[in-house]
């Protein structure tokens, strides 16, 4: 068992490392540099998500369809990784899903309102990657983005890519 | 402590996999960012230090442990309370120096290094070096300057994983001149 606060501190250090690394090599940061940082964090999350889902689905039966996979992610996966279930899952039945978490664990320590909203993206990139990595190993290629209007509530949008 | 007890053991275990894998992703990224292992070791130590200086507050608040009387007590608290609380393991404390200012923590299984194999071209990488930084940073916040390093590591072919800690000095609190 590892403690959750340890993970939270580690996550913060990761975010700040990736950003200072990019900044020191360039001097000033523009939007493009920020996008690079976000994608580095996302890629780290992706690998973690892949590993986690392998461990988690070891004993579970196979899934019927896409919705079944999404339900698993919202319930079991979310509980194991973010320590609560997704509060609301919505879909247009065409491959787009919106997962709403009203108390997202990595945001609860940051703010309870609109303060620091501009910083939220950095602290969600890793988690987006985790979700994308998990779905990827369950056979769903997707694009995962996160959107925050008031912390600590957060909406993850998953768009499944049709092959 | 209450927020721990209402979680099932299973979910705690999963948490530790999340932590282990995340740490692995971080080390991988650092190896990409820096050219040599020494730089990576240094960076891990620095990040650990940053974590340690904050983690100590969390630790003191949750454990309600007061000031340690001597280095032996410090060693006990680190091994039996802190490691237990944050990593779920209890390393053994051995190899005390005669002066009582140096000891070793022996880690039976290192949770940071689960599922890890070091490739041949990284034989000077101290994979879990973050831990050294954490210990150093945390102790510095309670006025103890300590030197922490990995003496042995199973990842690099040793039989055990050993962290060596050496007490350097007590950090005097900075009182303004003329006040006691």
């Amino acid at each position: 068992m590892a403690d959750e606060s340890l993970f939270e501190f580690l996550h913060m250090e990761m975010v700040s490392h990736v950003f200072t690394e990019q900044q020191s090599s360039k001097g000033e940061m523009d939007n493009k540099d920020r996008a690079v940082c976000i994608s580095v964090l996302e890629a780290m999350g992706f690998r973690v998500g892949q590993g986690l889902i392998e461990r988690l689905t070891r004993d579970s039966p196979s899934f019927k369809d896409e919705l079944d996979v999404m339900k698993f992610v919202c319930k079991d996966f979310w509980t194991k990784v973010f320590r609560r279930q997704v509060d609301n899952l919505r879909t247009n039945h065409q491959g787009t899903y919106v997962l709403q978490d009203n108390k997202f664990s990595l945001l609860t320590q940051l703010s309870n309102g609109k303060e620091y909203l501009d910083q939220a993206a950095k602290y969600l990139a890793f988690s987006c990657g985790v979700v994308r990595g998990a779905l990827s190993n369950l056979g769903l290629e997707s694009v995962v983005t996160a959107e925050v209007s008031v912390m600590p509530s957060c909406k993850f949008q998953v768009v499944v890519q049709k092959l | 402590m209450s927020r721990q007890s209402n979680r099932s053991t299973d979910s705690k275990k999963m948490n530790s996999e999340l932590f282990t894998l995340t740490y692995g992703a971080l080390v991988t990224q650092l190896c990409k960012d820096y050219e040599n292992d020494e730089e990576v070791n240094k960076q891990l130590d620095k990040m650990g230090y940053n974590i340690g200086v904050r983690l100590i507050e969390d630790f003191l608040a949750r454990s309600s442990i007061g000031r340690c009387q001597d280095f032996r007590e410090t060693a006990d608290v680190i091994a039996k309370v802190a490691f237990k609380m944050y990593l779920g393991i209890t390393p053994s404390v051995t190899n005390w120096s005669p002066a009582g200012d140096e000891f070793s923590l022996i880690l039976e299984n290192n949770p940071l290094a689960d599922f890890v194999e070091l490739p041949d071209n990284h034989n000077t990488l101290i994979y879990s070096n973050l831990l050294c930084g954490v210990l150093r940073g945390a102790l510095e916040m309670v006025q103890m300057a300590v030197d922490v390093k990995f003496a042995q590591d199973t990842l690099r072919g040793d039989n055990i994983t050993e962290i060596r800690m050496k007490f350097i000095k007590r950090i005097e609190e900075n009182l303004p001149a003329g006040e006691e």
Side-chain angles (χ1 to χ4, degrees):
Chain A
M1 171 223 162
D3 189 84
E4 64 188 78
S5 46
L6 196 59
F7 171 73
E8 279 162 18
F9 284 129
L10 182 71
H11 180 256
M12 280 182 206
E13 280 305 310
M14 266 164 45
V15 173
S16 94
H17 163 75
V18 170
F19 274 79
T20 48
E21 174 72 5
Q22 186 73 14
Q23 197 161 31
S24 61
S25 63
K26 284 269 185 64
E28 278 289 296
M29 273 186 119
D30 54 27
N31 281 338
K32 205 174 136 219
D33 298 329
R34 279 193 202 95
V36 171
C37 294
I38 297 287
S39 75
V40 168
L41 285 169
E42 214 262 358
M44 290 164 85
F46 182 78
R47 182 68 199 88
V48 173
Q50 282 188 316
L52 278 176
I53 203 78
E54 275 180 23
R55 315 273 307 165
L56 263 173
T57 49
R58 207 173 27 187
D59 307 314
S60 66
S62 56
F63 302 104
K64 297 201 293 288
D65 54 15
E66 203 176 283
L67 191 62
D68 208 23
V69 170
M70 291 309 295
K71 282 184 184 159
F72 177 82
V73 168
C74 291
K75 283 193 183 145
D76 300 61
F77 184 73
W78 220 265
T79 317
K80 291 283 163 64
V81 180
F82 303 117
R83 296 178 302 282
R84 62 200 307 280
Q85 280 186 24
V86 165
D87 292 294
N88 191 338
L89 168 66
R90 267 179 294 177
T91 174
N92 64 356
H93 297 289
Q94 284 166 7
T96 303
Y97 298 84
V98 176
L99 287 65
Q100 184 172 345
D101 187 333
N102 293 331
K103 239 174 97 186
F104 188 61
S105 59
L106 288 171
L107 294 178
T108 47
Q109 304 293 325
L110 281 187
S111 156
N112 191 5
K114 290 190 183 293
E115 209 181 357
Y116 303 124
L117 215 51
D118 51 331
Q119 305 287 319
K122 323 188 201 186
Y123 293 97
L124 292 168
F126 179 79
S127 310
C128 287
V130 171
V131 176
R132 191 169 67 89
L135 288 171
S136 159
N137 264 17
L138 292 172
L140 296 178
E141 290 308 318
S142 60
V143 174
V144 181
T145 49
E147 189 191 309
V148 188
S149 51
V150 179
M151 288 206 235
S153 159
C154 179
K155 277 182 192 162
F156 289 88
Q157 192 183 50
V158 178
V159 181
V160 177
Q161 311 287 294
K162 297 286 180 220
L163 296 172
Chain B
M1 292 309 256
S2 62
R3 63 174 181 165
Q4 281 186 317
S5 52
N6 54 24
R7 257 184 277 142
S8 72
T9 37
D10 202 34
S11 82
K12 282 176 194 166
K13 192 169 163 287
M14 200 54 222
N15 253 341
S16 125
E17 281 174 5
L18 172 67
F19 179 71
T20 306
L21 288 169
T22 305
Y23 186 70
L26 172 69
V27 177
T28 313
Q29 183 62 37
L30 291 176
C31 288
K32 279 186 207 154
D33 289 349
Y34 299 104
E35 278 166 18
N36 58 55
D37 291 348
E38 271 78 35
E39 278 294 311
V40 176
N41 295 342
K42 224 160 83 187
Q43 188 63 31
L44 283 172
D45 181 81
K46 198 173 112 194
M47 294 171 98
Y49 178 84
N50 293 341
I51 294 175
V53 297
R54 296 178 186 157
L55 198 67
I56 187 72
E57 296 195 18
D58 182 80
F59 175 73
L60 292 176
R62 281 164 57 182
S63 64
S64 63
I65 281 176
R67 195 169 277 278
C68 289
Q69 295 307 314
D70 57 17
F71 204 43
R72 278 179 192 272
E73 194 185 337
T74 310
D76 268 355
V77 170
I78 290 171
K80 293 192 185 125
V81 190
F83 266 85
K84 181 98 195 118
M85 185 189 282
Y86 291 109
L87 292 173
I89 53 166
T90 310
S92 47
V93 179
T94 53
N95 292 345
W96 277 98
S97 65
D101 63 346
E102 235 180 293
F103 68 91
S104 294
L105 291 169
I106 310 290
L107 280 70
E108 293 263 312
N109 47 352
N110 179 0
L112 258 53
D114 280 348
F115 334 118
V116 175
E117 263 179 55
L118 288 188
D120 291 338
N121 56 346
H122 283 294
N123 46 22
T124 50
L125 178 71
I126 308 171
Y127 185 83
S128 315
N129 209 30
L130 188 95
L131 285 182
C132 296
V134 172
L135 288 165
R136 190 164 58 84
L139 289 174
E140 197 172 302
M141 291 298 114
V142 287
Q143 279 88 42
M144 264 186 258
V146 178
D147 183 54
V148 190
K149 57 176 185 286
F150 272 88
Q152 298 188 74
D153 192 343
T154 43
L155 279 181
R156 292 192 290 163
D158 296 315
N159 289 326
I160 47 168
T161 300
E162 175 187 358
I163 301 177
R164 190 79 182 146
M165 308 206 21
K166 185 181 190 325
F167 180 83
I168 303 171
K169 64 172 176 132
R170 189 144 203 102
I171 301 166
E172 298 300 328
E173 286 180 58
N174 278 334
L175 289 173
E179 278 182 54
E180 197 52 43

